[in-house]
Amino acid sequence: MKYVFLINPRAGNRDRTDRLRRLADHLAAAHGLDCQCLLTDRPGAAEPLARALAETGEPVRIYVCGGDGTVHEAANGIAGYDNAAMTVIPSGTGNDFLKNFGRDAVKFADPENLWDGPDFPLDLIDCNGRLCLTIACSGIDARIADSVHRYGRLLSGRGSYLLSVAVNFLFKPIGRRWQVELDGETIEDDFALVSMCNGRYYGGGSMPVPEARMDDGVLETILVKNVPKRTFARLFPAYSAGEYWKFPNIARVVTARKVVIRSLEEDIVTCLDGESLRSREVRLELSDKRVNFFGPKGCSPNATAREGR
């Protein structure tokens, strides 16, 4: 069994490579493990590195040391490989993925809690051929997230977020005219957002569908119709808290197996675990692949899930 620390030195607000190397060395010495460290050298590099490890056929446990984007890349790399499993040592700014584990999320910072933890498979969302662990969102939330990355070159994390909200919310329309197909039912309307959920958290902690579970083979999709900006601002805190049921005339949650979003005006911005793509048609469904994950003993990716209403 190989134990590989896959490190993104650009994740977060500082380079943690030296500390992570020390953690790997300590784990190897303490338990006689075959540990090594691999560093990404560019955005997107974690995926081919993880896939190359899985393609050897040798049993491998990968410690993904980065933020949600690095986790997304590694999951796309090892999905469908029975010999490979991954976990996360949080090194990014948001780390929304680990929020699904509730109180156990803090344990992921120490590999001593991880190395002998059990494997368990997680579902994945297939979005136009890309795989998503948590939430695939299209609409105002995706446009804000996409702009944060671009404005981050000019401002700090909080500053780039506030600028993105101002540009997308104050100076641009919220809704877009879309055709949305839900297992054959077609709806044409102005939508603020459409998000398919496998996990429960995105955007720094928003939880649109608290019933979502990461291993039950069911994907929940929330559709929010366009509303005036003042109404959207008033309702967004309830949306972020998973209280979509408070505005039934605006929000709808479905468990359709296949969701297709078609734009009637312009490219749709979609964010998958925080990574952006653009297309005129977004096809979402449960992937036939799963990803093996390991964590602290007794942990659950559904620790914060609520019962359905």
Side-chain angles (χ1 to χ4, degrees):
M1 174 79 74
K2 281 188 175 181
Y3 298 78
V4 178
F5 282 61
L6 185 54
I7 302 170
N8 179 358
R10 296 172 180 80
N13 51 18
R14 60 188 175 86
D15 187 350
R16 295 174 172 83
T17 302
D18 289 343
R19 173 181 173 274
L20 293 166
R21 287 187 185 276
R22 290 195 296 271
L23 289 175
D25 290 343
H26 173 78
L27 201 66
H31 303 287
L33 306 179
D34 178 8
C35 289
Q36 68 179 101
C37 294
L38 295 176
L39 273 63
T40 63
D41 59 358
R42 55 182 171 78
E47 182 175 343
L49 287 173
R51 183 175 293 115
L53 291 168
E55 286 176 340
T56 66
E58 182 178 352
V60 60
R61 285 193 150 196
I62 301 173
Y63 297 77
V64 181
C65 307
D68 290 319
T70 314
V71 174
H72 169 81
E73 294 172 14
N76 273 266
I78 71 167
Y81 287 92
D82 293 336
N83 59 300
M86 62 180 282
T87 191
V88 180
I89 298 179
S91 305
T93 53
N95 303 305
D96 282 323
F97 169 74
L98 286 183
K99 292 182 174 71
N100 291 286
F101 291 85
R103 294 179 180 178
D104 285 329
V106 296
K107 297 180 181 179
F108 283 85
D110 185 353
E112 277 290 338
N113 298 324
L114 306 173
W115 72 277
D116 60 346
D119 290 3
F120 46 88
L122 298 179
D123 296 329
L124 294 165
I125 300 169
D126 184 317
C127 176
N128 291 6
R130 290 293 296 173
L131 301 178
C132 174
L133 265 169
T134 52
I135 295 179
C137 61
S138 300
I140 180 65
D141 47 356
R143 295 194 297 274
I144 288 173
D146 180 60
S147 297
V148 166
H149 293 301
R150 290 187 283 115
Y151 298 145
R153 303 167 188 166
L154 305 173
L155 298 169
S156 64
R158 181 64 176 170
S160 62
Y161 176 78
L162 292 175
L163 178 57
S164 179
V165 170
V167 170
N168 286 280
F169 184 75
L170 297 178
F171 304 118
K172 295 183 180 180
I174 292 177
R176 298 292 190 272
R177 192 74 178 175
W178 291 340
Q179 287 181 347
V180 179
E181 185 178 317
L182 308 168
D183 286 345
E185 174 196 0
T186 300
I187 305 166
E188 183 174 331
D189 209 336
D190 294 331
F191 290 93
L193 59 91
V194 176
S195 295
M196 179 175 274
C197 304
N198 181 42
R200 292 171 298 284
Y201 299 94
Y202 77 139
S206 290
M207 181 177 55
V209 183
E211 298 86 5
R213 285 167 167 76
M214 303 190 72
D215 56 5
D216 63 354
V218 177
L219 301 175
E220 282 84 2
T221 298
I222 183 167
L223 303 91
V224 179
K225 292 183 179 181
N226 188 40
V227 293
K229 291 181 178 181
R230 181 178 299 178
T231 302
F232 188 86
R234 180 171 56 85
L235 296 177
F236 191 78
Y239 168 84
S240 295
E243 297 173 341
Y244 59 84
W245 45 270
K246 288 185 175 180
F247 41 104
N249 294 329
I250 299 171
R252 176 185 177 189
V253 173
V254 300
T255 55
R257 296 185 62 83
K258 180 176 290 186
V259 177
V260 182
I261 311 169
R262 297 183 180 92
S263 172
L264 305 179
E265 298 174 344
E266 59 188 64
D267 280 353
I268 302 166
V269 179
T270 301
C271 275
L272 314 177
D273 304 326
E275 300 299 300
S276 298
L277 62 86
R278 286 175 169 78
S279 60
R280 285 294 178 97
E281 181 175 280
V282 181
R283 305 182 70 88
L284 302 157
E285 61 187 324
L286 181 70
S287 174
D288 58 0
K289 296 179 180 179
R290 303 180 95 190
V291 63
N292 292 322
F293 194 84
F294 63 98
K297 293 177 181 178
C299 75
S300 170
N302 305 316
T304 63
R306 301 179 197 167
E307 295 299 324
R309 291 189 59 82

